[in-house]
Amino acid sequence: MRLAVKLALGFALVVAIMVALGVTGYVMFMRVEDNVSTLTGHHIPAVKHSTGVERFAFQCMVGQKEYLLKQEETTRAASKEDLAKLVGELDVLKTVGTEYDDARLIEQSDKVRDSAGQYGKLYDDAVAALETSRKAGDVMSAKGQAVSIEARAYLADKRAEYEEATRALALANVVNATTFKARMNMLGYMAYKTDAYFQGVELCLGQLLEFYTQLETMHPSDEERKQIAAARKATQQYLASARAWRDEDKRDSSSERLKELLQDMIDKGTLVLNCAGEYLAQKETRVQTISKAVFLVNDVDQAAYRIRLREKQYMLTQSETDWKELNDLVSELNGLFADVRKVSLTAADEEHIQKAETATKEYLAAATSWVDSDNRLRKEILPRMAQLGGEVLAAAQAAEDNAWKESDQSAERTTDIVASSSLIIIISLGVGIVVGVLATYFITRGITRPINRAIESLASGAEQTAAASGQVSASSQSLAEGSSEQAASLEETSSSIE
């Protein structure tokens, strides 16, 4: 093989080794770059934003519980902001999953997004339920107080009515006493014909007319007004008959008309007493009715207080027993309203009862609304929110764990690639060195061996040439000597010839 070919093959082998080393390094470093790119662009963002989802979900759940306790709008706004940030983190996660074709990350982000959406809707439902409960609580407080206010107003009216009725009773008794006194003075006048007795009659009858006027100012019933009017008329007629009897007695003490006038006075006096008696009987009944109404309305006030107390107890315990007792007390209160209505005497009484009954109905409706909202909040909304919150946290934790796992795996792969790259490069370098040494050896040998053979051949030719030169030199010397001898001989011959 010619020397040029051998040199070309040697250089080609060196270039091939260098190319192989370059390609191996390029491939290995590209794999490292791919893993680093995946790590920085996929796994680390997945970890970061999964952690963000978990953090904002936790903050939102804490804010929700704080809102349940304080019901402050700033707390609710902060929770909604955390929920919006959570959705923003999910958007980034989905973008990362789409970019790197990570179906699991996309599925987890979609699942968390769905749960977060449901959680947000339930949060709004919880806020609405709390608002309904708050409004119902305000209505319950206002209407519960309204029942007590109407009961106390009723009691105040009855107290005034009772006091007025007792004064009327006392005045009616005075009417009776004054009527007896007037009749006694008339009998005294008849017996003794003394003007003082008759003046006593006129004084007593004048007082009776003033008493009737006072009784008419004490809010009498229609029947009582008739009795007062009848008593007034009888009193006036009694006075007229008494004066007529006095005048007739002065004219003729033995007149037959005196008996008629006496009988008329007796009848009118009896009529006054009867009217007073009937008035007293009705007024005593009224006083008893008022007393009964007072006791019943006091029971209404106490029942309203017990209802509100039971309401607070139920709000603390959410015990079905407390709720049942509250409804039983409301039924009892409605029964008391019916009993009070039976002993109510005035339009104002009926108005108080009607207002108290309406307030009780509105109170019960508000209490039912409060219970329904509270039950829905405690039994449906909050458990579901807790479940969804747990799902969001679990999904975020799972995504974070997966991202950490894949990140660790990517880091391990990168480390393995770097290690294997180093090993391959070392092996390649070793192989290159060995191949280079062998190639150098064989190429050098392939080059030096022909040269040595040529040198040996040249040395042998030189020796042969030197030997030939020696032989030629000897021959030349011999020839020269022969020529010299021939020349000398010729000279000698020439001399001789001469």
Side-chain angles (χ1 to χ4, degrees):
M1 185 180 293
R2 291 187 302 173
L3 179 61
V5 174
K6 290 181 179 180
L7 289 173
L9 288 175
F11 282 114
L13 181 60
V14 171
V15 170
I17 292 172
M18 295 299 295
V19 169
L21 287 173
V23 170
T24 300
Y26 176 79
V27 170
M28 291 301 177
F29 283 111
M30 284 301 295
R31 289 178 63 190
V32 170
E33 182 181 358
D34 288 342
N35 277 274
V36 171
S37 176
T38 301
L39 187 64
T40 57
H42 181 194
H43 302 310
I44 291 178
V47 171
K48 175 184 175 182
H49 296 291
S50 296
T51 304
V53 169
E54 185 178 7
R55 181 175 71 256
F56 289 125
F58 182 75
Q59 290 178 186
C60 187
M61 293 176 70
V62 171
Q64 168 244 317
K65 295 183 184 301
E66 186 176 353
Y67 180 78
L68 289 176
L69 292 174
K70 298 181 180 179
Q71 297 186 21
E72 294 178 348
E73 185 58 30
T74 53
T75 304
R76 176 175 176 268
S79 296
K80 297 296 284 186
E81 184 178 351
D82 288 335
L83 197 59
K85 290 179 180 178
L86 184 150
V87 173
E89 296 288 345
L90 291 173
D91 291 339
V92 176
L93 282 176
K94 188 168 184 178
T95 300
V96 171
T98 303
E99 182 179 353
Y100 287 91
D101 196 22
D102 190 339
R104 177 189 291 178
L105 186 60
I106 294 173
E107 180 183 359
Q108 288 174 332
S109 65
D110 288 341
K111 181 179 179 181
V112 173
R113 185 188 303 276
D114 181 63
S115 297
Q118 294 183 51
Y119 187 93
K121 184 178 182 304
L122 286 171
Y123 198 159
D124 292 337
D125 291 344
V127 171
L130 284 172
E131 181 64 16
T132 299
S133 296
R134 185 190 64 76
K135 291 180 179 178
D138 292 343
V139 172
M140 289 163 67
S141 178
K143 298 307 175 181
Q145 290 179 359
V147 174
S148 295
I149 289 171
E150 292 301 327
R152 289 164 190 171
Y154 188 103
L155 284 172
D157 290 348
K158 287 302 166 184
R159 186 178 296 111
E161 189 177 347
Y162 180 82
E163 291 173 355
E164 186 179 74
T166 53
R167 289 199 306 272
L169 275 176
L171 196 55
N173 285 317
V174 172
V175 167
N176 270 336
T178 304
T179 301
F180 277 112
K181 186 177 180 180
R183 296 180 76 178
M184 291 302 296
N185 282 325
M186 191 62 198
L187 291 175
Y189 178 76
M190 288 178 181
Y192 302 107
K193 305 298 190 289
T194 303
D195 289 339
Y197 282 110
F198 197 82
Q199 290 173 358
V201 171
E202 290 180 327
L203 179 62
C204 289
L205 295 178
Q207 289 175 342
L208 285 176
L209 294 175
E210 291 178 2
F211 294 155
Y212 299 148
T213 301
Q214 292 179 28
L215 289 174
E216 286 174 339
T217 64
M218 295 182 180
H219 306 93
S221 64
D222 292 340
E223 185 63 27
E224 289 171 347
R225 286 183 184 278
K226 291 178 182 179
Q227 293 166 352
I228 294 170
R232 181 187 294 277
K233 183 178 179 182
T235 300
Q236 291 170 343
Q237 290 175 347
Y238 184 94
L239 179 58
S241 297
R243 286 172 176 171
W245 191 96
R246 179 193 63 182
D247 293 341
E248 185 66 22
D249 181 70
K250 287 180 179 180
R251 189 185 65 81
D252 183 5
S253 60
S254 60
S255 173
E256 290 293 329
R257 189 166 176 269
L258 292 175
K259 293 181 180 179
E260 294 176 3
L261 293 172
L262 178 60
Q263 186 60 47
D264 188 59
M265 284 191 293
I266 293 172
D267 292 340
K268 296 304 185 283
T270 303
L271 179 59
V272 171
L273 291 174
N274 288 338
C275 289
E278 291 174 0
Y279 182 90
L280 281 170
Q282 288 192 3
K283 191 57 72 174
E284 286 175 352
T285 301
R286 188 181 184 91
V287 169
Q288 291 175 357
T289 302
I290 292 171
S291 298
K292 186 175 182 180
V294 167
F295 285 113
L296 286 172
V297 173
N298 187 63
D299 289 342
V300 166
D301 193 22
Q302 292 298 317
Y305 174 77
R306 293 201 305 274
I307 288 171
R308 295 178 64 192
L309 185 63
R310 190 58 57 187
E311 161 209 321
K312 305 303 180 188
Q313 184 69 22
Y314 176 78
M315 288 182 176
L316 290 174
T317 64
Q318 280 81 39
S319 169
E320 292 299 325
T321 302
D322 290 328
W323 176 242
K324 182 178 181 303
E325 289 181 4
L326 186 147
N327 280 273
D328 291 341
L329 286 170
V330 170
S331 298
E332 178 184 336
L333 184 60
N334 287 324
L336 288 171
F337 288 144
D339 293 338
V340 172
R341 183 172 274 111
K342 292 176 184 178
V343 295
S344 294
L345 303 172
T346 65
D349 295 344
E350 179 60 31
E351 184 179 356
H352 288 311
I353 296 169
Q354 186 61 44
K355 287 182 178 179
E357 278 187 327
T358 301
T360 301
K361 289 177 182 178
E362 293 175 352
Y363 174 91
L364 185 59
T368 302
S369 175
W370 190 95
V371 170
D372 290 342
S373 297
D374 184 67
N375 284 338
R376 182 167 177 265
L377 183 66
R378 289 187 301 106
K379 297 179 180 179
E380 297 178 18
I381 297 175
L382 293 182
R384 180 59 178 157
M385 287 180 71
Q387 179 185 353
L388 289 172
E391 290 176 0
V392 169
L393 289 175
Q397 185 65 50
E400 183 181 350
D401 291 342
N402 289 332
W404 274 117
K405 182 178 179 181
E406 291 177 0
S407 177
D408 292 340
Q409 291 174 350
S410 180
E412 290 176 2
R413 285 196 299 270
T414 301
T415 302
D416 292 341
I417 291 170
V418 170
S420 60
S421 297
S422 300
L423 180 61
I424 290 172
I425 289 172
I426 291 172
I427 293 173
S428 297
L429 286 173
V431 171
I433 292 171
V434 172
V435 171
V437 170
L438 292 176
T440 301
Y441 172 76
F442 286 111
I443 290 173
T444 303
R445 184 180 175 186
I447 293 173
T448 57
R449 183 180 291 176
I451 292 174
N452 288 333
R453 285 200 299 268
I455 291 172
E456 290 175 359
S457 177
L458 290 173
S460 177
E463 289 177 355
Q464 291 176 359
T465 301
S469 297
Q471 290 176 359
V472 169
S473 176
S475 296
S476 297
Q477 187 175 4
S478 295
L479 182 59
E481 289 177 354
S483 296
S484 297
E485 289 177 356
Q486 287 177 359
S489 177
L490 285 176
E491 288 179 355
E492 290 177 357
T493 300
S494 176
S495 296
S496 295
I497 293 175
E498 292 176 357

